[in-house]
Amino acid sequence: AQSVTQLDSQVPVFEEAPVELRCNYSSSVSVYLFWYVQYPNQGLQLLLKYLSGSTLVKGINGFEAEFNKSQTSFHLRKPSVHISDTAEYFCAVSDNQGGKLIFGQGTELSVKP
Amino acid sequence: GAVVSQHPSWVICKSGTSVKIECRSLDFQATTMFWYRQFPKQSLMLMATSNEGSKATYEQGVEKDKFLINHASLTLSTLTVTSAHPEDSSFYICSAPSGTASGTQYFGPGTRLTVL
């Protein structure tokens, strides 16, 4: 069975500071990894995804993530955050492209001026 | 990009009544759709996989007789919450894979159900 653990439930950070949101997964088969962002009372928006190839994945809004198979991690990073990045971030895993997603618990990113 | 819509966006109903939520893929066909439930300040939990032309596949612990899923066409899946109770109040979200090798899934905006 697959599972996803997001190690931080809340991450407060000041504007223009770097941020890392941590995600670890477990899976017995090949994995496809995703990061989604959810703004209040809205649906999910895809930030980035890892399907294969380069382990460093760049997404929208300046975010990037690195797939580390040995550490079973897929941490999300941004070198300089903005107030508008305040949202809930979800890491998710699937065992096939377009298959059902298993989500982590979510990390609330709060960017303060 | 592809869009998935949900209707209604929010609904309030009395305990014991049934509520139907629609999920539509607007510019692509989806033989499979997924239904998730999200309680306040919590993650999305997969409820079931909706399959066009066949029965839905429910996750462990989800009552299939309570949450009826019908995948009527290649662009429409419906979730009916039967005999709703206050504990069913939640945010229901559907998604549909793009069907391409991109691995992209498109999420609907969600439906907030409040059962009084």
Side-chain angles (χ1 to χ4, degrees), chain B residues 21-41:
Chain B
I21 302 170
E22 294 185 348
C23 176
R24 293 181 184 272
S25 56
L26 296 183
D27 55 0
F28 66 105
Q29 294 181 334
T31 56
T32 299
M33 292 183 176
F34 301 100
W35 285 97
Y36 298 86
R37 179 168 55 184
Q38 184 181 31
F39 291 109
K41 298 291 186 180

Side-chain angles (χ1 to χ4, degrees), chain A residues 6 34 36 38 41-46 49 51 88 90 94 97-106 108, chain B residues 32 34 36 38 41-46 49 59 91 93 97 100-105 107-110 112:
Chain A
Q6 291 182 243
F34 306 81
Y36 286 88
Q38 186 180 35
N41 296 312
Q42 295 186 28
L44 274 70
Q45 180 181 1
L46 179 66
K49 60 189 175 187
L51 303 181
E88 190 83 17
F90 293 98
S94 179
Q97 296 182 27
K100 63 183 180 182
L101 294 170
I102 305 301
F103 285 88
Q105 301 89 329
E108 182 181 354
Chain B
T32 299
F34 301 100
Y36 298 86
Q38 184 181 31
K41 298 291 186 180
Q42 295 188 30
S43 187
L44 282 77
M45 298 299 295
L46 179 67
T49 302
E59 295 299 303
F91 198 46
I93 302 173
T100 69
S102 68
T104 299
Q105 283 207 36
F107 282 80
R112 184 160 303 282

Side-chain angles (χ1 to χ4, degrees), chain A residues 98, chain B residues 2-4 23-34 49-53 70-77 94-100 104-106:
Chain B
V3 176
V4 172
C23 176
R24 293 181 184 272
S25 56
L26 296 183
D27 55 0
F28 66 105
Q29 294 181 334
T31 56
T32 299
M33 292 183 176
F34 301 100
T49 302
S50 175
N51 304 298
E52 191 271 337
N70 181 30
H71 203 129
S73 73
L74 289 173
T75 59
L76 173 64
S77 174
C94 70
S95 74
S98 64
T100 69
T104 299
Q105 283 207 36
Y106 299 103

